Amino acid sequence: MTASVPPSSTEQSRTRHRLQLPRDTDPGDVLTMIRNVLPAAGEDLDGAIELEAQVRLVPDRSPRGAGRWDLETPREREVPLPEGMGDSHGYDRAFPEGMPFGAERRALDLAWSLGRRLYGAVVTDGGVRLEPHPFQIRDLSVVSAHALAPESLVELLAPLESEISLDEVPEHIARSGYSASISLPGGEEISVRVGLSSRPAALSALEWLDDAVEYQVVHVTADPEEDAVEVPSAEVAERWEHAYRRIGLIAGLLIESVGGYVVDLEGFLVDPADLG
């Protein structure tokens, strides 16, 4: 009788998750989106995408594998999520014995974000399905070489948002820009915050980025804990979508006026044609 050989410590320290995207998703689009946030990510001859050391996203080449990717990563876990802490990604449900961290957490976060942007899902190594809500992230930023004066911003957006008003800030509070607010039902608002650019990685090659202006269009909910909900109720999902549609129209109008690029809260470029 032949004894089985136990797995090596290297094998024990690695794991594999699954990214499931629509079958017609172009692998080239996946690589482009990844390079928005990881400019150094590269593709090998087999089409696998190297995210960082020992972390790869490998396309499923089987006959039924269109749109499916294996996320190969070191297995790094820590204590469970503290009780009462929000978990918009569903990790507490998926990893009750210990939360991913380090390289595994970064890889899972990226896969979750790709699922959000491309209407897909992540299936963890334990078989738990994580399906991001497409409007979980609603904030957008317009990064431009051109700055609008506060009054010009209000004048530009007033035909679209008649209730917009500049925020009054006490003179003793130092800040590098200005902001305006748009009231929404239920105590919510959309805040338009104008200041120096946060220099998104997706735009790092632009020569004018050092002097760029960023117009952040932010959905401020009445309940701050709402953004930590993994699966929103129908009422919350409707409000999220309504806010995103309005934010998209504002970002689109800004692009038409000042030019530049639209970036979402996680650093992915957004096509202005998709904001209408």
Side-chain angles (χ1 to χ4, degrees):
M1 179 176 179
T2 303
S4 61
V5 179
S8 68
S9 59
T10 300
E11 291 172 332
Q12 289 176 329
S13 66
R14 293 188 62 78
T15 192
R16 179 182 299 170
H17 306 286
R18 172 63 63 91
L19 172 63
Q20 296 182 338
L21 301 175
R23 293 181 58 84
D24 59 353
T25 304
D26 186 342
D29 290 342
V30 176
L31 177 60
T32 296
M33 291 194 66
I34 289 173
R35 283 179 171 164
N36 282 180
V37 294
L38 297 175
E43 188 177 34
D44 66 18
L45 295 177
D46 294 326
I49 301 173
E50 304 286 341
L51 303 178
E52 58 176 285
Q54 301 185 45
V55 181
R56 303 197 312 158
L57 196 59
V58 182
D60 186 336
R61 300 299 189 188
S62 68
R64 300 173 62 89
R68 297 180 179 178
W69 300 73
D70 287 327
L71 180 63
E72 300 176 351
T73 174
R75 187 183 188 277
E76 302 181 57
R77 305 288 166 86
E78 57 187 3
V79 296
L81 189 73
E83 185 176 354
M85 182 175 291
D87 179 28
S88 63
H89 288 31
Y91 293 162
D92 186 40
R93 177 172 60 86
F95 305 103
E97 303 302 321
M99 298 290 286
F101 74 104
E104 184 180 18
R105 178 61 173 263
R106 291 191 296 273
L108 275 168
D109 284 352
L110 177 60
W112 185 92
S113 298
L114 291 171
R116 174 184 66 84
R117 284 296 306 272
L118 298 172
Y119 299 96
V122 176
V123 178
T124 70
D125 56 358
V128 178
R129 183 179 178 86
L130 307 174
E131 193 165 355
H133 192 279
F135 300 112
Q136 178 77 45
I137 303 295
R138 300 170 298 287
D139 301 352
L140 297 173
S141 291
V142 172
V143 180
S144 173
H146 304 289
L148 287 172
E151 296 77 12
S152 298
L153 175 76
V154 172
E155 183 178 356
L156 173 70
L157 298 183
L160 189 64
E161 297 288 354
S162 60
E163 300 299 319
I164 188 171
S165 60
L166 288 172
D167 297 331
E168 295 185 8
V169 179
E171 294 182 0
H172 67 277
I173 296 181
R175 65 189 216 169
S176 59
Y178 65 90
S179 62
S181 296
I182 302 162
S183 295
L184 299 177
E188 299 188 340
E189 67 176 34
I190 292 174
S191 177
V192 184
R193 304 165 185 175
V194 185
L196 299 177
S197 172
S198 58
R199 299 178 57 83
L203 304 178
S204 59
L206 295 176
E207 295 181 356
W208 48 266
L209 190 60
D210 287 342
D211 301 314
V213 177
E214 187 163 333
Y215 301 82
Q216 298 178 350
V217 192
V218 179
H219 179 211
V220 182
T221 60
D223 179 5
E225 295 184 1
E226 184 177 285
D227 287 329
V229 173
E230 178 192 357
V231 182
S233 66
E235 183 271 332
V236 169
E238 184 178 359
R239 283 193 289 105
W240 282 2
E241 181 174 3
H242 177 70
Y244 180 78
R245 300 299 184 195
R246 290 179 70 165
I247 286 171
L249 291 174
I250 292 169
L253 186 55
L254 284 167
I255 281 288
E256 291 178 4
S257 176
V258 299
Y261 297 86
V262 182
V263 185
D264 75 11
L265 186 62
E266 293 187 317
F268 294 101
L269 288 172
V270 178
D271 189 342
D274 295 334
L275 298 176

